[in-house]
Amino acid sequence: MSLFWIDEARGIKKSYADLIADMNAKNGCRRCIFYDNPYHIFLELVHSMAYGIGVEMLDSNFSESERSRLGVSPSMLVSETETGGRPIADFEELCTRIDAAKERWSVTIYTSGTTGRPKKVTHSLSTIARSVKQGPRYKDNVWAFSFNPTHFAGLQVFFQAFFNRNPMLYIFDTDKNEVHSLLLKYGVTNISATPTFYRTLLPFMEHPLPDVRIVTVGGEKFDSNVLKDLGRVMPHAKIRNVYASTEAGSLFGSVGEIFEINESLRPFVKISDDRELLIHKSLLGAAEEVSLADGDWYHTGDTVTLLDEHRFVFAARKTEMINIGGYKVNPHEVEEQIKTVDGVLDVLVKARHNRITGNILVADIVKASGYDEQQLEDSIRNILVSTLQAWKIPRLFHFVNELPKSRTGKKVRT
């Protein structure tokens, strides 16, 4: 039996044959996918693909007021389009039907909405599954699913696993104490997650995971400290850093923090005078509220440091830069220094309003057990004084049990 979806927290274990049987038992396709259960989300998604019916995916925690602002009425959540036709016999026939219907199908997803109203982006199968690789070398993969299933990164993992008929182990909202044993139990070979997710997981990983071969890091600025810790826990894994956006899909990959613009992409990528990454509109899905420069170029909001004509390092989101008395501070730079201190598990540097300097920096820190807060704060201050300018050093340090996260599992600077 070829497993499709494993979600031990909800008591779900489904094979690809089960998925097809559940599809055949349905009378119609939902136009809006709005479920708490990730299996139901992907059941509806695959069903829509097989019949070429466009769907809209909503976060399960979108409130009624949020759905109203997005123009989604209660009746839309339950309306279905009848499919008819003969049942699907097996996975090969399912893929044949998806291929035949792909020109009619589309999926609409939303950005995380951490600031303001979420943006709607509509993708075809060719744009949302642009980075999927298929072939014999991918057939034995077992994926850990560690993203929100209705967001772009989650869909990237889903399509890569689905089209290679790989099992997926859902761990996005699983108790962190249980994840390590589940990864061992199911022989997970591939994991993709944000640096924040890995950081929350690593304290519970006391023993190596020898089966893991590929580790992908994305969704946030690359964290070299996480790279070292992942190498310790997953000694046989190749670790890849990926850049993707909801609007444009997956674009760049690297072993470390240095990205290179592939020759095929060079006509469609450029860096503005203020160091913002711009992407040509031809690479985008159909998106609302997209800011274009000169009519053709999408402003990603990501600033970079150019190393040469075709290589760069991501610096920060433009919206994350903090003004301290006229000086621009990149919070990631400060966080990277704090993370070098023994006893720091994770940190979030953010702004707090100050009537004299406009803002001051505040650091929320998650510490390892057994470390004294005052001694750890003294160690952090000593490191920062020796490595950073005075205005980049936080005025206040708070020790917290966990950091706030967005719907996609990224840190939230509020």
Side-chain angles (χ1 to χ4, degrees):
M1 179 177 68
S2 179
L3 283 174
F4 164 65
W5 190 257
I6 307 150
D7 184 352
E8 290 214 348
R10 295 173 176 81
I12 296 173
K13 187 181 288 187
K14 295 280 188 175
S15 67
Y16 277 88
D18 293 330
L19 171 69
I20 293 169
D22 290 342
M23 288 173 54
N24 287 335
K26 290 172 53 61
N27 294 319
C29 283
R30 290 278 177 103
R31 286 286 187 174
C32 285
I33 299 177
F34 182 64
Y35 292 102
D36 289 322
N37 189 323
Y39 174 71
H40 291 157
I41 291 172
F42 289 123
L43 170 63
E44 292 288 350
L45 181 70
V46 177
H47 196 217
S48 74
M49 293 165 61
Y51 290 94
I53 297 171
V55 291
E56 190 165 326
M57 302 185 76
L58 305 175
D59 280 8
S60 63
N61 60 359
F62 271 165
S63 66
E64 185 177 350
S65 61
E66 283 180 301
R67 299 196 304 269
S68 178
R69 289 197 299 271
L70 296 171
V72 178
S73 66
S75 63
M76 292 171 63
L77 298 178
V78 296
S79 65
E80 293 189 345
T81 300
E82 291 189 11
T83 53
R86 60 183 175 81
I88 297 170
D90 51 29
F91 186 76
E92 286 70 26
E93 183 180 341
L94 172 59
C95 290
T96 298
R97 290 201 188 186
I98 289 173
D99 186 62
K102 64 184 179 182
E103 298 303 324
R104 304 193 306 273
W105 181 81
S106 65
V107 59
T108 297
I109 56 179
Y110 289 87
T111 57
S112 58
T114 55
T115 56
R117 180 177 180 270
K119 289 187 295 184
K120 178 188 291 189
V121 182
T122 300
H123 281 280
S124 65
L125 187 59
S126 62
T127 59
I128 201 163
R130 179 190 296 133
S131 63
V132 169
K133 298 177 177 64
Q134 291 180 264
R137 61 181 293 192
Y138 304 104
K139 293 300 181 185
D140 295 327
N141 290 346
V142 179
W143 280 87
F145 197 103
S146 50
F147 287 108
N148 186 321
T150 62
H151 285 259
F152 182 83
L155 290 173
Q156 291 292 281
V157 173
F158 174 78
F159 285 120
Q160 178 61 40
F162 175 80
F163 283 116
N164 286 289
R165 206 171 177 176
N166 300 148
M168 287 170 268
L169 171 67
Y170 187 67
I171 61 171
F172 181 66
D173 57 9
T174 300
D175 188 321
K176 299 299 185 291
N177 285 292
E178 300 175 3
V179 170
H180 186 270
S181 61
L182 290 173
L183 297 177
L184 284 171
K185 178 180 178 179
Y186 290 102
V188 166
T189 62
N190 295 57
I191 305 176
S192 182
T194 64
T196 295
F197 186 89
Y198 285 123
R199 279 198 164 273
T200 61
L201 206 58
L202 282 165
F204 303 96
M205 301 259 184
E206 296 182 359
H207 306 291
L209 293 165
D211 293 326
V212 177
R213 300 193 300 262
I214 301 292
V215 172
T216 305
V217 184
E220 296 174 300
K221 190 177 185 301
F222 187 73
D223 187 332
S224 58
N225 295 295
V226 166
L227 176 65
K228 290 185 291 186
D229 290 336
L230 289 174
R232 171 181 54 81
V233 176
M234 305 169 193
H236 303 140
K238 294 181 180 179
I239 302 176
R240 297 280 294 170
N241 184 21
V242 171
Y243 174 85
S245 72
T246 302
E247 295 83 2
S250 295
L251 292 173
F252 311 113
S254 71
V255 174
E257 64 177 342
I258 299 174
F259 288 98
E260 181 171 358
I261 305 172
N262 292 333
E263 188 171 354
S264 62
L265 278 178
R266 289 172 189 172
F268 308 102
V269 176
K270 69 178 182 179
I271 312 301
S272 68
D273 292 339
D274 60 352
R275 301 191 301 121
E276 183 179 4
L277 179 72
L278 304 183
I279 299 171
H280 193 264
K281 64 181 182 181
S282 61
L283 296 182
L284 304 179
E288 295 181 348
E289 304 170 27
V290 167
S291 175
L292 296 177
D294 303 324
D296 291 328
W297 295 91
Y298 166 60
H299 286 249
T300 65
D302 292 312
T303 59
V304 305
T305 300
L306 274 173
L307 303 179
D308 57 38
E309 188 177 1
H310 302 303
R311 296 188 310 144
F312 60 87
V313 174
F314 283 99
R317 294 285 297 169
K318 292 180 75 172
T319 54
E320 290 182 331
M321 297 296 287
I322 301 170
N323 190 319
I324 306 293
Y327 294 100
K328 294 289 187 182
V329 177
N330 180 352
H332 295 286
E333 180 186 6
V334 185
E335 290 171 356
E336 286 171 2
Q337 292 299 323
I338 294 175
K339 288 173 187 173
T340 64
V341 178
D342 288 341
V344 174
L345 295 179
D346 208 351
V347 58
L348 176 69
V349 172
K350 58 188 179 182
R352 176 180 291 182
H353 179 69
N354 179 273
R355 63 185 181 86
I356 297 174
T357 61
N359 292 298
I360 59 171
L361 293 181
V362 178
D364 288 345
I365 297 168
V366 181
K367 73 177 186 67
S369 60
Y371 283 81
D372 178 79
E373 290 184 3
Q374 187 57 58
Q375 291 179 357
L376 191 55
E377 181 177 332
D378 291 342
S379 298
I380 292 169
R381 288 188 184 277
N382 289 336
I383 287 289
L384 297 183
V385 166
S386 65
T387 57
L388 298 177
Q389 296 100 322
W391 62 85
K392 296 180 180 179
I393 299 175
R395 294 275 296 277
L396 299 174
F397 294 85
H398 297 148
F399 289 92
V400 298
N401 292 325
E402 61 180 355
L403 301 175
K405 299 179 182 66
S406 72
R407 288 169 169 142
T408 54
K410 303 176 187 179
K411 296 177 184 178
V412 178
R413 299 184 194 278
T414 55

